[in-house]
């Protein structure tokens, strides 16, 4: 009780120190994460998505099983983690979203608009996938999964179930029919399962082509509304609310994965599935396609160039160790992919054993794995509705974790760009507006032609455009702004310069790998198909237009910025357009040291001057009140009737 701070802490009952509020945001105007765990969990939820469950396992067994792990982890070390660290440090240094950060070189602000376009496309169709998972989740709340048998109105004569048809009075003839049915499955080159027909004929009721929209599938539309409402409610207070939600959405999928893994490895035939998943085919190491797939998977899986990493990091405190975070999140993401592969292939191995076929004949990728192959395998398990509920609940949570960040990326970009006090205070309305627009744009994807458009957007809108955006970002930061300047910025923020390995990767290795991915993507290009359906040429033109719509933002804005910049000649305007803005740098004046000490105008202060003066006045009043409380608290009667006053009287 001899220290005034202790007395004040005792009086306040919260352990605070004088003049400081508990858990006060560093950036009071914009806000920060509640704590660093929330940021890490949100970033893990963003990076770990549906692709970890349905894309990685498929790529792994298609490209040499365990041999694919070698190029995969090499690409993680030399491209994935460096790019992840670059984007986190970029957003954290300026405390701005994917548009505001380009004060570093205003001519390149089109890169930020390109990120917004990509996030918009992905956000639209990603929530449609989530809503279908919601639909399957609701339909699993039954004693018998509806895709178990072929005796439904939506089934065709070609449908053949893996466990026959339910009958009340089984006879020897019935058993013979079931055996002959299973024999027919084995002998067929292509079988139509009840889960496939449920997906195609009932859930989607797919039309005959991308141009035939047909009717809106009302159950899917309803689930889409539910999905957007859930996303909005979780983001209603920005990172303050989403940071609390991710404690569940980012961790519970691992609980479900573990439950499914334990169940999967106890099934007959699971070992054969895992062996198929991991057995290395070392001859494929020399195949350029394997390296291209590994690089692409790392690049897309981590969510680079979507703008989400920059946005999430912008809510960090200035001196947060984002270097440590980037390694933790990247390794967790890739570890989840490998772990999910064990879960998926243990179940597929069981299914292959049950049917008497090879694992390659039951394995699939993309939506086909999540909504056809895996649901069919679930029907073979005891208490199948329970496992179905768990699986689709996991898909929902994996999807929502990514969707939170996609929506927050768009909202933050709009709020930072306008930047007025009103829009900052009413950010909830911006979130609501973006959610409503996203829902309306997603309605066409709930029609009978929706699956065609969804796959078109997935293959074109978020393909090579991401690679181009990421490559230009590296060039801008390392060569236009200058690598030495950026290394100093990182050192000022973290207290230590970027490790030598990352400096080399940022300048040389990562851009080289990104260029390799771009060239490989162009060489490997094949027109998109859906089962036996070949997309018409006009739809492919639309796909390329979507892909170019994000890239075209970069040269258009660059030309605009050059045109409006000061200067009498083109070279002068070009030079001025790439110069950092006067207020480029840390958002808070207290962090603007060294070359930033006098670089920024007064507008970089978090609060206007009047508000600052008010705050100073309040602080003085608080100090006076604190002194009075200290004097009262420090005069405490002792047990012998004396007073415990540490200051002796004269």
């Amino acid at each position: 009780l001899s220290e005034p701070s202790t007395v004040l802490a005792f009086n306040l009952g919260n352990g605070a120190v004088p003049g400081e509020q508990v858990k006060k945001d560093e950036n009071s105007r914009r806000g920060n994460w509640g704590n660093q765990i929330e940021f890490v969990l949100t970033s893990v939820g963003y990076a770990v998505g549906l692709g970890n469950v349905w894309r990685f396992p498929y790529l792994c067994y298609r490209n040499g099983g365990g041999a694919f792990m070698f190029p995969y982890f090499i690409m993680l070390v030399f491209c994935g983690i460096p790019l992840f660290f670059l984007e986190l440090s970029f957003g954290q240094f300026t405390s701005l979203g994917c548009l505001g950060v380009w004060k570093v070189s205003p001519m390149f602000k089109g890169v930020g608009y390109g990120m917004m376009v990509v996030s918009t496309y992905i956000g639209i169709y990603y929530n449609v996938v989530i809503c279908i998972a919601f639909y399957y989740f609701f339909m699993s709340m039954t004693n018998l999964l509806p895709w178990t048998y072929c005796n439904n109105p939506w089934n065709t004569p070609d449908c053949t179930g893996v466990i026959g048809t339910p009958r009340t009075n089984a006879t020897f003839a019935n058993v013979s029919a079931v055996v002959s049915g299973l024999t027919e499955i084995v002998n067929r080159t292509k079988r139509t399962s009840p889960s496939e027909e449920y997906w195609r004929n009932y859930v989607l009721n797919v039309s005959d082509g991308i141009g035939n929209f047909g009717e809106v599938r009302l159950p899917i539309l309803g689930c889409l509304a539910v999905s957007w409402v859930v996303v909005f409610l979780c983001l209603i207070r920005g990172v303050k609310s989403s940071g609390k939600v991710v404690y569940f959405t980012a961790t519970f999928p691992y609980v479900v994965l573990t439950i499914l893994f334990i169940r999967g490895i106890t099934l007959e035939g699971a070992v054969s599935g895992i062996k198929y998943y991991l057995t290395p085919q070392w001859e494929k190491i020399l195949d350029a396609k394997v390296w291209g797939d590994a690089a692409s998977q790392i690049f897309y899986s981590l969510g680079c160039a979507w703008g989400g990493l920059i946005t999430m990091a912008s809510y960090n405190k200035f001196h947060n160790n984002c270097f440590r975070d980037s390694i933790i999140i990247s390794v967790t993401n890739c570890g989840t992919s490998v772990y999910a592969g064990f879960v998926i292939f243990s179940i597929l191995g069981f299914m292959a054993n049950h049917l008497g076929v090879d694992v390659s004949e039951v394995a699939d990728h993309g939506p086909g794995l999540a909504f056809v192959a895996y649901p069919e395998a679930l029907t073979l398990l005891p208490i199948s509705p329970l496992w179905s509920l768990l699986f689709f609940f996991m898909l929902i949570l994996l999807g929502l974790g990514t969707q939170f960040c996609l929506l927050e990326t768009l909202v933050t970009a709009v709020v930072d760009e306008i930047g007025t006090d009103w829009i900052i205070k009413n950010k909830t309305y911006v979130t609501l507006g973006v959610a409503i627009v996203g829902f309306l744009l997603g309605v066409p994807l709930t029609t009978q032609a929706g699956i065609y458009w969804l796959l078109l957007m997935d293959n074109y809108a978020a393909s090579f455009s991401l690679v181009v955006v990421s490559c230009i970002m590296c060039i801008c930061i390392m060569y236009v702004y200058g690598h030495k300047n950026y290394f100093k910025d990182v050192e000022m923020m973290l207290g230590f310069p970027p490790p030598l390995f990352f400096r080399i990767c940022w300048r040389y290795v990562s851009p080289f790998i990104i260029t390799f991915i771009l060239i490989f993507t162009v060489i490997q290009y094949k027109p998109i198909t859906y089962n036996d359906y070949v997309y018409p040429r006009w739809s492919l033109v639309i796909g390329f237009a979507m892909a170019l719509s994000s890239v075209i933002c970069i040269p258009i804005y660059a030309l605009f910025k050059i045109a409006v910049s000061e200067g009498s000649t083109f070279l002068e305007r070009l030079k001025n357009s790439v110069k950092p803005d006067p207020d480029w740098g840390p958002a808070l004046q207290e962090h603007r040291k060294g070359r930033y000490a006098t670089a920024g105008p007064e507008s970089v202060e978090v609060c206007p001057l009047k508000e600052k003066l008010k705050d100073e006045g309040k602080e003085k009043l608080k100090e006076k009140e604190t002194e009075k409380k200290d004097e009262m608290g420090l005069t405490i009667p002792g047990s012998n009737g004396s007073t415990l006053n540490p200051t002796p009287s004269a």
Side-chain angles (χ1 to χ4, degrees), residues 30 36 52 63 129 184 344 455 467 469 506 523 585 592 635:
R30 195 170 183 271
Q36 215 46 41
N52 297 73
N63 290 297
V129 177
E184 184 182 358
I344 296 298
L455 293 174
V467 184
V469 167
W506 285 347
I523 294 175
R592 298 181 74 90
T635 306

Side-chain angles (χ1 to χ4, degrees), residues 127-137 199 203-204 220 223-224 371 392 445 451 454:
N127 228 20
V128 174
V129 177
I130 297 172
C131 88
I132 296 175
F134 264 113
Y135 179 79
Y136 270 82
F137 177 77
W199 158 254
V203 178
L204 303 178
I220 303 299
C223 290
L224 181 64
F371 300 118
F392 289 110
L445 300 183
I451 186 64
L454 190 150

Side-chain angles (χ1 to χ4, degrees), residues 456-469:
L456 187 74
M457 294 177 72
D458 183 44
N459 280 269
Y460 289 91
S463 56
F464 79 94
S465 56
L466 288 175
V467 184
V468 174
V469 167

